[in-house]
Amino acid sequence: MFGTGMSNVSGWLSKSLMARRHALQVLGSFLLPLLIWCAVSYLPFIWHPKMLVEVPGGVDYFRAGMLVDKSVFQDELTSMQAQNLELPQGKPANPIYLPAPHEVAKAFYTAFTKAPEQKDLPWLHESLWHSVTIIFWGFLISSLIGVPLGILSGTYSSMARLNEPFIEFFRYLPAPAFGALAVAVLGIYDAPKISIIVIGTLFQQILIIANTTRKLDPTIVEAALTLGTGRLRMLSRVVVPGILPDLYRDQRILLGWAWTYLIVAELIGTSSGITWFITQQARYQHFDNVYAAIMMIGIIGFGMDILLGKLGRRLFPWDRSQKKE
Amino acid sequence: MTIDTGNKTYLQQSDAVRARFDKIRQREVILEARHLGKKYISAQGEVEALRDINFEIHRREIVCVVGPSGCGKSTLVRTLAGLEKHSSGEMLLDGKPVTGPGQDRGMVFQGYSLFPWLTVKKNVMFGPEMNGASHDMAERDALLWLELVGLDKFANAYPHQLSGGMRQRVAIARALVNQPRILLMDEPFGALDAQTRIKMQTNLLDIWRNVDITIVFITHDLDEAIFLADRILVLKAHPGEVQEMIEVPVPRPRSTAQFGGPEFRATKQRLEELIHPPVQHEENEDEKAIKPHLLRFTHVTDNVE
Ligand SMILES: Nc1ncnc2c1ncn2[C@@H]1O[C@H](COP(=O)(O)OP(=O)(O)OP(=O)(O)O)[C@@H](O)[C@H]1O
Ligand SMILES: [Mg+2]
């Protein structure tokens, strides 16, 4: 009794220690790039290739708040000195496309709190939600076709020979190439966007899932055969549950790929969603908003993957390879 | 061709043992192989794994199959299970030819073949459910068999939570719950440590004593073969042919105390003669191709022997 109690306590201790170390490592992996970004933004001697004009002085085309190259600023400074005119004043700055962390953080916050400048324009979260629905439908439709087809191809070699050569060919055709076609067939709203995600995901999905199905331990299938399992039941009671944890992992990776097709998909027809938001903000040189939106995509994608990972561990308690994650 | 080992040979049987074999021979034949042959067609060409195998196994016999590596032991048992199609001859179970796998032949594999997504109990329930039993019936049978292999306490554990020996116990229960006519076992205890192995062997004999089951047991452990078997089928390699069917003269009931006994030693000596012939350079063909060429990676003065 006492012995098992002790080992439970020490087991729990080492587990919590492990968890804490794990969390620290995750934090560290984010902290390093953030530190570099801070250093580049806040320490002028590291990079800062521009000068932010504060006082134009005698230079006729300088305006306060203007960004000019350091060399240009230096030239004007020496020429003003030579002509004995009022000297321009400025401080080192980064290019407009590299806002500092605090600016992005502020943009991130105001995106949710301050209404967009034009009345009829969508909020950031509305754009994001639209993007998420595109991904959802695209991935759902792709999976409804791809998962069953992949499992069948992995189980029956005749099925694989029938469709895999074509899929191998088709998956090399870049999904965006079908954009114009998709618009012509499906109109300019969400349908062609969803179809691009389907085209981008489906063919890889069939091949990957067929491969995963083939990797099922043959001994397990043979054991089921000797227990009197028929052909149909073999699929539903052995093959599918046998590959389920791996299938789930594949789907997580494929979902990540679907996200990468999102930007292309949203440029098709009438630009929409988060892509529309980003291009719009970039046009007005609101790069802090651009970064905030890009980060938002990252956070949603990463957060979803972590959530799905946790769910997977709960769904498949027998799967040991997942414990190592 | 009798070889003396002391004053006893493996062919000499005590009256009790002889009477037992007479009794076995009177039982009906459950499994019969007639001129059984198996050829694999592979990329490297044709491999004749089995040639002209003949034997009869009677009800409730334990027959062990031994032979050098690659002699076709696994092929034989997989063919009996219906997992491989034989190329020639025939194989009869209760007089009827075997065509594919079926619940009348249970199988325990060397590797872990349990369904990892099912608990121990559900693993054992799998067979009955596949064969049309109701959930309640399957569950009752499963618990009964788990008790018989001593794992009723682990009914709700997953296979990965069990030790190697426990997993093979579950595999045995899962095969036997289907009430097969014959239990095929391909080196089921090969991966276990010596102590666990002895325990599993003893437990298997206990089960066999209480259940109407005939066992074909593949092993490369000669002690294991002698300890378990009524008869031992010795195969030779390339191609796999029957070399001899030995009637084990060790009396039953068996116990670990018999390991050093005269009948035991005589049988083992005979098996060793058959499997490792005294002419050593006649190696098995697979091994012949492997010639290690040793280089010295340590300093000349750094000797370990
Ligand atoms: N699927 C296969 N395709 C081609 N050849 C095979 C196949 N399976 C087995 N063989 C060949 O058949 C012969 C018998 O193999 P088998 O596995 O039955 O031997 P074994 O006695 O079980 O060996 P071991 O003691 O190593 O388990 C070997 O020469 C092997 O190379
Ligand atoms: Mg083998």
Side-chain angles (χ1 to χ4, degrees), chain B residues 71-88:
Chain B
C71 69
K73 303 185 292 291
S74 296
T75 305
L76 177 63
V77 80
R78 289 170 56 80
T79 310
L80 296 178
L83 296 172
E84 305 277 2
K85 278 207 166 54
H86 48 281
S87 331
S88 57

mmCIF file with all atom_site columns, all heavy atoms in Angstrom, chain B residues 71-88:
data_model
loop_
_atom_site.group_PDB
_atom_site.id
_atom_site.type_symbol
_atom_site.label_atom_id
_atom_site.label_alt_id
_atom_site.label_comp_id
_atom_site.label_asym_id
_atom_site.label_entity_id
_atom_site.label_seq_id
_atom_site.pdbx_PDB_ins_code
_atom_site.Cartn_x
_atom_site.Cartn_y
_atom_site.Cartn_z
_atom_site.occupancy
_atom_site.B_iso_or_equiv
_atom_site.pdbx_formal_charge
_atom_site.auth_seq_id
_atom_site.auth_comp_id
_atom_site.auth_asym_id
_atom_site.auth_atom_id
_atom_site.pdbx_PDB_model_num
ATOM 1   N N   . CYS B 1 71 ? 13.305 -23.236 -41.890 1.00 0.00 ? 71 CYS B N   1
ATOM 2   C CA  . CYS B 1 71 ? 12.930 -24.536 -42.437 1.00 0.00 ? 71 CYS B CA  1
ATOM 3   C C   . CYS B 1 71 ? 11.453 -24.605 -42.799 1.00 0.00 ? 71 CYS B C   1
ATOM 4   O O   . CYS B 1 71 ? 10.975 -25.592 -43.323 1.00 0.00 ? 71 CYS B O   1
ATOM 5   C CB  . CYS B 1 71 ? 13.273 -25.648 -41.455 1.00 0.00 ? 71 CYS B CB  1
ATOM 6   S SG  . CYS B 1 71 ? 12.244 -25.613 -39.988 1.00 0.00 ? 71 CYS B SG  1
ATOM 7   N N   . GLY B 1 72 ? 10.709 -23.560 -42.516 1.00 0.00 ? 72 GLY B N   1
ATOM 8   C CA  . GLY B 1 72 ? 9.305  -23.559 -42.920 1.00 0.00 ? 72 GLY B CA  1
ATOM 9   C C   . GLY B 1 72 ? 8.324  -23.815 -41.793 1.00 0.00 ? 72 GLY B C   1
ATOM 10  O O   . GLY B 1 72 ? 7.160  -24.146 -42.053 1.00 0.00 ? 72 GLY B O   1
ATOM 11  N N   . LYS B 1 73 ? 8.755  -23.661 -40.542 1.00 0.00 ? 73 LYS B N   1
ATOM 12  C CA  . LYS B 1 73 ? 7.843  -23.871 -39.412 1.00 0.00 ? 73 LYS B CA  1
ATOM 13  C C   . LYS B 1 73 ? 6.680  -22.890 -39.466 1.00 0.00 ? 73 LYS B C   1
ATOM 14  O O   . LYS B 1 73 ? 5.511  -23.286 -39.356 1.00 0.00 ? 73 LYS B O   1
ATOM 15  C CB  . LYS B 1 73 ? 8.593  -23.683 -38.075 1.00 0.00 ? 73 LYS B CB  1
ATOM 16  C CG  . LYS B 1 73 ? 9.800  -24.580 -37.907 1.00 0.00 ? 73 LYS B CG  1
ATOM 17  C CD  . LYS B 1 73 ? 10.428 -24.440 -36.532 1.00 0.00 ? 73 LYS B CD  1
ATOM 18  C CE  . LYS B 1 73 ? 11.080 -23.094 -36.267 1.00 0.00 ? 73 LYS B CE  1
ATOM 19  N NZ  . LYS B 1 73 ? 12.310 -22.851 -37.067 1.00 0.00 ? 73 LYS B NZ  1
ATOM 20  N N   . SER B 1 74 ? 7.020  -21.609 -39.621 1.00 0.00 ? 74 SER B N   1
ATOM 21  C CA  . SER B 1 74 ? 5.953  -20.603 -39.675 1.00 0.00 ? 74 SER B CA  1
ATOM 22  C C   . SER B 1 74 ? 5.066  -20.824 -40.887 1.00 0.00 ? 74 SER B C   1
ATOM 23  O O   . SER B 1 74 ? 3.850  -20.710 -40.804 1.00 0.00 ? 74 SER B O   1
ATOM 24  C CB  . SER B 1 74 ? 6.544  -19.202 -39.740 1.00 0.00 ? 74 SER B CB  1
ATOM 25  O OG  . SER B 1 74 ? 7.250  -18.929 -38.557 1.00 0.00 ? 74 SER B OG  1
ATOM 26  N N   . THR B 1 75 ? 5.691  -21.181 -42.003 1.00 0.00 ? 75 THR B N   1
ATOM 27  C CA  . THR B 1 75 ? 4.907  -21.436 -43.212 1.00 0.00 ? 75 THR B CA  1
ATOM 28  C C   . THR B 1 75 ? 3.911  -22.560 -42.951 1.00 0.00 ? 75 THR B C   1
ATOM 29  O O   . THR B 1 75 ? 2.740  -22.469 -43.336 1.00 0.00 ? 75 THR B O   1
ATOM 30  C CB  . THR B 1 75 ? 5.848  -21.822 -44.367 1.00 0.00 ? 75 THR B CB  1
ATOM 31  O OG1 . THR B 1 75 ? 6.814  -20.796 -44.516 1.00 0.00 ? 75 THR B OG1 1
ATOM 32  C CG2 . THR B 1 75 ? 5.076  -21.986 -45.655 1.00 0.00 ? 75 THR B CG2 1
ATOM 33  N N   . LEU B 1 76 ? 4.381  -23.618 -42.296 1.00 0.00 ? 76 LEU B N   1
ATOM 34  C CA  . LEU B 1 76 ? 3.495  -24.744 -42.015 1.00 0.00 ? 76 LEU B CA  1
ATOM 35  C C   . LEU B 1 76 ? 2.297  -24.312 -41.175 1.00 0.00 ? 76 LEU B C   1
ATOM 36  O O   . LEU B 1 76 ? 1.150  -24.587 -41.514 1.00 0.00 ? 76 LEU B O   1
ATOM 37  C CB  . LEU B 1 76 ? 4.278  -25.853 -41.292 1.00 0.00 ? 76 LEU B CB  1
ATOM 38  C CG  . LEU B 1 76 ? 3.447  -27.061 -40.873 1.00 0.00 ? 76 LEU B CG  1
ATOM 39  C CD1 . LEU B 1 76 ? 2.881  -27.770 -42.087 1.00 0.00 ? 76 LEU B CD1 1
ATOM 40  C CD2 . LEU B 1 76 ? 4.269  -28.041 -40.036 1.00 0.00 ? 76 LEU B CD2 1
ATOM 41  N N   . VAL B 1 77 ? 2.579  -23.598 -40.090 1.00 0.00 ? 77 VAL B N   1
ATOM 42  C CA  . VAL B 1 77 ? 1.484  -23.268 -39.182 1.00 0.00 ? 77 VAL B CA  1
ATOM 43  C C   . VAL B 1 77 ? 0.559  -22.220 -39.825 1.00 0.00 ? 77 VAL B C   1
ATOM 44  O O   . VAL B 1 77 ? -0.648 -22.246 -39.632 1.00 0.00 ? 77 VAL B O   1
ATOM 45  C CB  . VAL B 1 77 ? 2.042  -22.822 -37.809 1.00 0.00 ? 77 VAL B CB  1
ATOM 46  C CG1 . VAL B 1 77 ? 2.502  -21.401 -37.826 1.00 0.00 ? 77 VAL B CG1 1
ATOM 47  C CG2 . VAL B 1 77 ? 1.021  -23.045 -36.716 1.00 0.00 ? 77 VAL B CG2 1
ATOM 48  N N   . ARG B 1 78 ? 1.119  -21.334 -40.639 1.00 0.00 ? 78 ARG B N   1
ATOM 49  C CA  . ARG B 1 78 ? 0.272  -20.349 -41.324 1.00 0.00 ? 78 ARG B CA  1
ATOM 50  C C   . ARG B 1 78 ? -0.584 -21.005 -42.393 1.00 0.00 ? 78 ARG B C   1
ATOM 51  O O   . ARG B 1 78 ? -1.712 -20.584 -42.639 1.00 0.00 ? 78 ARG B O   1
ATOM 52  C CB  . ARG B 1 78 ? 1.143  -19.250 -41.942 1.00 0.00 ? 78 ARG B CB  1
ATOM 53  C CG  . ARG B 1 78 ? 1.760  -18.323 -40.890 1.00 0.00 ? 78 ARG B CG  1
ATOM 54  C CD  . ARG B 1 78 ? 2.793  -17.407 -41.519 1.00 0.00 ? 78 ARG B CD  1
ATOM 55  N NE  . ARG B 1 78 ? 2.213  -16.649 -42.616 1.00 0.00 ? 78 ARG B NE  1
ATOM 56  C CZ  . ARG B 1 78 ? 1.476  -15.554 -42.438 1.00 0.00 ? 78 ARG B CZ  1
ATOM 57  N NH1 . ARG B 1 78 ? 1.269  -15.110 -41.219 1.00 0.00 ? 78 ARG B NH1 1
ATOM 58  N NH2 . ARG B 1 78 ? 0.972  -14.923 -43.452 1.00 0.00 ? 78 ARG B NH2 1
ATOM 59  N N   . THR B 1 79 ? -0.037 -22.046 -43.006 1.00 0.00 ? 79 THR B N   1
ATOM 60  C CA  . THR B 1 79 ? -0.834 -22.786 -43.977 1.00 0.00 ? 79 THR B CA  1
ATOM 61  C C   . THR B 1 79 ? -1.972 -23.517 -43.267 1.00 0.00 ? 79 THR B C   1
ATOM 62  O O   . THR B 1 79 ? -3.104 -23.531 -43.740 1.00 0.00 ? 79 THR B O   1
ATOM 63  C CB  . THR B 1 79 ? 0.061  -23.792 -44.739 1.00 0.00 ? 79 THR B CB  1
ATOM 64  O OG1 . THR B 1 79 ? 1.209  -23.107 -45.209 1.00 0.00 ? 79 THR B OG1 1
ATOM 65  C CG2 . THR B 1 79 ? -0.678 -24.387 -45.910 1.00 0.00 ? 79 THR B CG2 1
ATOM 66  N N   . LEU B 1 80 ? -1.650 -24.121 -42.113 1.00 0.00 ? 80 LEU B N   1
ATOM 67  C CA  . LEU B 1 80 ? -2.695 -24.804 -41.343 1.00 0.00 ? 80 LEU B CA  1
ATOM 68  C C   . LEU B 1 80 ? -3.775 -23.810 -40.934 1.00 0.00 ? 80 LEU B C   1
ATOM 69  O O   . LEU B 1 80 ? -4.967 -24.127 -40.912 1.00 0.00 ? 80 LEU B O   1
ATOM 70  C CB  . LEU B 1 80 ? -2.104 -25.467 -40.088 1.00 0.00 ? 80 LEU B CB  1
ATOM 71  C CG  . LEU B 1 80 ? -1.088 -26.590 -40.327 1.00 0.00 ? 80 LEU B CG  1
ATOM 72  C CD1 . LEU B 1 80 ? -0.548 -27.104 -38.997 1.00 0.00 ? 80 LEU B CD1 1
ATOM 73  C CD2 . LEU B 1 80 ? -1.716 -27.724 -41.111 1.00 0.00 ? 80 LEU B CD2 1
ATOM 74  N N   . ALA B 1 81 ? -3.369 -22.577 -40.611 1.00 0.00 ? 81 ALA B N   1
ATOM 75  C CA  . ALA B 1 81 ? -4.340 -21.564 -40.188 1.00 0.00 ? 81 ALA B CA  1
ATOM 76  C C   . ALA B 1 81 ? -5.155 -21.040 -41.362 1.00 0.00 ? 81 ALA B C   1
ATOM 77  O O   . ALA B 1 81 ? -6.183 -20.397 -41.168 1.00 0.00 ? 81 ALA B O   1
ATOM 78  C CB  . ALA B 1 81 ? -3.622 -20.404 -39.504 1.00 0.00 ? 81 ALA B CB  1
ATOM 79  N N   . GLY B 1 82 ? -4.688 -21.308 -42.587 1.00 0.00 ? 82 GLY B N   1
ATOM 80  C CA  . GLY B 1 82 ? -5.394 -20.796 -43.758 1.00 0.00 ? 82 GLY B CA  1
ATOM 81  C C   . GLY B 1 82 ? -4.939 -19.408 -44.154 1.00 0.00 ? 82 GLY B C   1
ATOM 82  O O   . GLY B 1 82 ? -5.548 -18.794 -45.020 1.00 0.00 ? 82 GLY B O   1
ATOM 83  N N   . LEU B 1 83 ? -3.863 -18.918 -43.525 1.00 0.00 ? 83 LEU B N   1
ATOM 84  C CA  . LEU B 1 83 ? -3.356 -17.582 -43.877 1.00 0.00 ? 83 LEU B CA  1
ATOM 85  C C   . LEU B 1 83 ? -2.505 -17.638 -45.142 1.00 0.00 ? 83 LEU B C   1
ATOM 86  O O   . LEU B 1 83 ? -2.297 -16.632 -45.794 1.00 0.00 ? 83 LEU B O   1
ATOM 87  C CB  . LEU B 1 83 ? -2.541 -16.999 -42.719 1.00 0.00 ? 83 LEU B CB  1
ATOM 88  C CG  . LEU B 1 83 ? -3.334 -16.730 -41.443 1.00 0.00 ? 83 LEU B CG  1
ATOM 89  C CD1 . LEU B 1 83 ? -2.406 -16.345 -40.303 1.00 0.00 ? 83 LEU B CD1 1
ATOM 90  C CD2 . LEU B 1 83 ? -4.361 -15.641 -41.680 1.00 0.00 ? 83 LEU B CD2 1
ATOM 91  N N   . GLU B 1 84 ? -1.962 -18.834 -45.460 1.00 0.00 ? 84 GLU B N   1
ATOM 92  C CA  . GLU B 1 84 ? -1.255 -19.038 -46.730 1.00 0.00 ? 84 GLU B CA  1
ATOM 93  C C   . GLU B 1 84 ? -1.949 -20.177 -47.465 1.00 0.00 ? 84 GLU B C   1
ATOM 94  O O   . GLU B 1 84 ? -2.429 -21.118 -46.837 1.00 0.00 ? 84 GLU B O   1
ATOM 95  C CB  . GLU B 1 84 ? 0.218  -19.446 -46.486 1.00 0.00 ? 84 GLU B CB  1
ATOM 96  C CG  . GLU B 1 84 ? 1.019  -18.508 -45.630 1.00 0.00 ? 84 GLU B CG  1
ATOM 97  C CD  . GLU B 1 84 ? 1.581  -17.331 -46.391 1.00 0.00 ? 84 GLU B CD  1
ATOM 98  O OE1 . GLU B 1 84 ? 1.300  -17.222 -47.611 1.00 0.00 ? 84 GLU B OE1 1
ATOM 99  O OE2 . GLU B 1 84 ? 2.278  -16.514 -45.760 1.00 0.00 ? 84 GLU B OE2 1
ATOM 100 N N   . LYS B 1 85 ? -1.979 -20.084 -48.768 1.00 0.00 ? 85 LYS B N   1
ATOM 101 C CA  . LYS B 1 85 ? -2.557 -21.174 -49.576 1.00 0.00 ? 85 LYS B CA  1
ATOM 102 C C   . LYS B 1 85 ? -1.453 -22.175 -49.887 1.00 0.00 ? 85 LYS B C   1
ATOM 103 O O   . LYS B 1 85 ? -0.366 -21.789 -50.308 1.00 0.00 ? 85 LYS B O   1
ATOM 104 C CB  . LYS B 1 85 ? -3.115 -20.607 -50.882 1.00 0.00 ? 85 LYS B CB  1
ATOM 105 C CG  . LYS B 1 85 ? -4.486 -20.006 -50.730 1.00 0.00 ? 85 LYS B CG  1
ATOM 106 C CD  . LYS B 1 85 ? -5.244 -20.069 -52.051 1.00 0.00 ? 85 LYS B CD  1
ATOM 107 C CE  . LYS B 1 85 ? -6.716 -19.801 -51.849 1.00 0.00 ? 85 LYS B CE  1
ATOM 108 N NZ  . LYS B 1 85 ? -6.994 -18.544 -51.140 1.00 0.00 ? 85 LYS B NZ  1
ATOM 109 N N   . HIS B 1 86 ? -1.723 -23.482 -49.678 1.00 0.00 ? 86 HIS B N   1
ATOM 110 C CA  . HIS B 1 86 ? -0.695 -24.456 -50.042 1.00 0.00 ? 86 HIS B CA  1
ATOM 111 C C   . HIS B 1 86 ? -0.698 -24.645 -51.553 1.00 0.00 ? 86 HIS B C   1
ATOM 112 O O   . HIS B 1 86 ? -1.696 -24.416 -52.224 1.00 0.00 ? 86 HIS B O   1
ATOM 113 C CB  . HIS B 1 86 ? -0.906 -25.771 -49.305 1.00 0.00 ? 86 HIS B CB  1
ATOM 114 C CG  . HIS B 1 86 ? -2.306 -26.297 -49.348 1.00 0.00 ? 86 HIS B CG  1
ATOM 115 N ND1 . HIS B 1 86 ? -3.300 -25.817 -48.533 1.00 0.00 ? 86 HIS B ND1 1
ATOM 116 C CD2 . HIS B 1 86 ? -2.881 -27.229 -50.127 1.00 0.00 ? 86 HIS B CD2 1
ATOM 117 C CE1 . HIS B 1 86 ? -4.424 -26.447 -48.793 1.00 0.00 ? 86 HIS B CE1 1
ATOM 118 N NE2 . HIS B 1 86 ? -4.214 -27.307 -49.755 1.00 0.00 ? 86 HIS B NE2 1
ATOM 119 N N   . SER B 1 87 ? 0.483  -25.027 -52.061 1.00 0.00 ? 87 SER B N   1
ATOM 120 C CA  . SER B 1 87 ? 0.603  -25.143 -53.517 1.00 0.00 ? 87 SER B CA  1
ATOM 121 C C   . SER B 1 87 ? 0.269  -26.543 -54.002 1.00 0.00 ? 87 SER B C   1
ATOM 122 O O   . SER B 1 87 ? -0.096 -26.731 -55.146 1.00 0.00 ? 87 SER B O   1
ATOM 123 C CB  . SER B 1 87 ? 2.022  -24.803 -53.971 1.00 0.00 ? 87 SER B CB  1
ATOM 124 O OG  . SER B 1 87 ? 2.641  -23.896 -53.105 1.00 0.00 ? 87 SER B OG  1
ATOM 125 N N   . SER B 1 88 ? 0.467  -27.548 -53.121 1.00 0.00 ? 88 SER B N   1
ATOM 126 C CA  . SER B 1 88 ? 0.154  -28.905 -53.553 1.00 0.00 ? 88 SER B CA  1
ATOM 127 C C   . SER B 1 88 ? -0.269 -29.727 -52.348 1.00 0.00 ? 88 SER B C   1
ATOM 128 O O   . SER B 1 88 ? -0.091 -29.318 -51.207 1.00 0.00 ? 88 SER B O   1
ATOM 129 C CB  . SER B 1 88 ? 1.374  -29.535 -54.237 1.00 0.00 ? 88 SER B CB  1
ATOM 130 O OG  . SER B 1 88 ? 2.467  -29.497 -53.349 1.00 0.00 ? 88 SER B OG  1
#
